[in-house]
Structure formats: structure tokens, C-alpha cells
Amino acid sequence: MSEQPLAIIDNFRDAYRVLERNVNRTLCTQRGAVTQINFQVNEALNFVASLDLHRASFPTTEFATIQQSISTMLALLEQTRHLSSNPPTGARLIVTTQVSTGGRPRIEIDPAFLSHALTLRRPTHLRVIFGGASARTIRRCALEYGLVEPGQPVYTDTPQPDGSVSRTYTSTSAPVSTITDDELDFMLTEILRIFPNFGRSMISGRLKAAGHRVPRDRIAACYLR
């Protein structure tokens, strides 16, 4: 073997030792650090690409060993990408359980955890925390545990003297604002003066923030005046 191929092999051996050291450091100190791990993966891939260009200069056994080592490095780096530098030390927290009912399983939620969660979010926004349980299930559990008060009935039926039944629906929305047209015109003018790019939804939100729940048709009519 000539001196030039030997020099090439020695250079690759030195580069491999540097790469091995850097990969080991990354595996030990950069768990879950995607940017640093991606950089090291690219370094390993670049090394492999350069190595392939000089395949003929290496003994077959040594070339195969280096390739296998690089493959192992890449696999370990990929595993490290999904690891945490601060893994949990305790057992996994279980906050939901499924109870067999003979049909569709019933979901039960840990009362203490649910009580704390409800101080932070409404049931609709807790689905991810409780394994995808629906907002209705979360509210059912909260009602059963006495964590929330039951809401008003959707409607009530009242018997009438003539024998008919009168059904009255209960609205849970805030009452519609009694603001006059002139006051609404003034507020809308001020909103558009400060925020000229506001659309109807943003205007409605700004009015709600000011304590006025105004129907869409009134806002649209205000545009025409």
C-alpha cells in the first residue's frame, strides 16, 4: 500500500476518534437537545459520505467496522433525541381510570387532581390532561364530587290552566347590552379610529371587553349609519 492511502487512512482514523468523542459527549450531556443532536448527526453523516469516497483505501474488515460503529452512533443519537435531561424519578401519575359497566367503560377522574385542575382551566380545556375525556365526562365527575354547582336547566315546563304545557328556555349567555344607537356609534367610531383594521369579530370582542354584548346585526347596522 502506498504512502498516500496510508495517510488517508490515518486521517480518517483521527477524525473517527474525534467524532466518537464528540458523540459520546453529546449522548451524556445533550439529552433532548434537538439542535445539538441534529448537528452531531450531520457530522456523522458527513463522515460517512467522505468515508465512502475512499472505500478502496481501507481494508475490508476495518471499513465494515467503521460503518457499523457509525450506524450505532446514529441510532443512539436518535434515541437520545427523545430522552429528557431530567427524567421523572417517581411513578407515573394516574389520574383517570376506566370502570367496567358491562358496556362502554365509565371514566373516573381522581377527585383531588380534578379539584386542582378546575381552578386553572374549564372542563373544555382539560381534555388533554385527562386522556381525552370529554368535557361532559369531566363536568359529570366534578358534579358527582361536589366540586361545582349544577347549572340552570336548559328549559322548564310549566302546566297551564287550559291543560297545555309552556316551555321556557334558560339562557346562560350574558344579557344583551341596552346601549343606545348613538352610544354604539360613538364607541364603534373610537374603536375603528384606534384599530382601523378591526373586523366585525374583533369589534364585537372589544365591545364585550367593555361590558357590552351587542348582537351582530346591530354592529352591521352601525356600519351603514
Side-chain angles (χ1 to χ4, degrees), residues 6-109:
L6 286 175
I8 292 175
I9 292 175
D10 288 339
N11 287 337
F12 270 103
R13 287 169 178 167
D14 291 339
Y16 175 82
R17 283 191 286 268
V18 173
L19 177 65
E20 183 181 35
R21 181 192 63 200
N22 291 341
V23 169
N24 285 332
R25 182 187 297 119
T26 300
L27 293 176
C28 294
T29 64
Q30 303 296 333
R31 292 183 177 182
V34 177
T35 302
Q36 290 83 349
I37 292 174
N38 286 342
F39 174 81
Q40 202 58 63
V41 167
N42 289 333
E43 288 291 303
L45 292 175
N46 290 335
F47 181 88
V48 171
S50 298
L51 186 68
D52 281 337
L53 297 177
H54 301 278
R55 177 191 295 262
S57 301
F58 283 85
T60 304
T61 303
E62 183 176 5
F63 186 86
T65 301
I66 294 176
Q67 277 194 320
Q68 181 60 45
S69 298
I70 297 296
S71 297
T72 302
M73 290 181 188
L74 292 173
L76 291 174
L77 287 169
E78 184 62 28
Q79 292 177 12
T80 305
R81 187 197 307 272
H82 305 289
L83 295 178
S84 171
S85 59
N86 187 24
T89 56
R92 181 182 177 184
L93 182 63
I94 299 176
V95 296
T96 61
T97 56
Q98 290 190 348
V99 180
S100 177
T101 60
R104 186 174 182 177
R106 175 185 174 94
I107 297 177
E108 299 292 348
I109 302 174

Side-chain angles (χ1 to χ4, degrees), residues 1 3 22 172 223-225:
M1 185 177 292
E3 293 184 2
N22 291 341
T172 57
Y223 276 110
L224 303 177
R225 286 197 291 270

Side-chain angles (χ1 to χ4, degrees), residues 37 67 82 117 122 126 131 148 193 209:
I37 292 174
Q67 277 194 320
H82 305 289
R122 297 173 62 86
L126 294 175
V148 295
R193 182 179 64 83

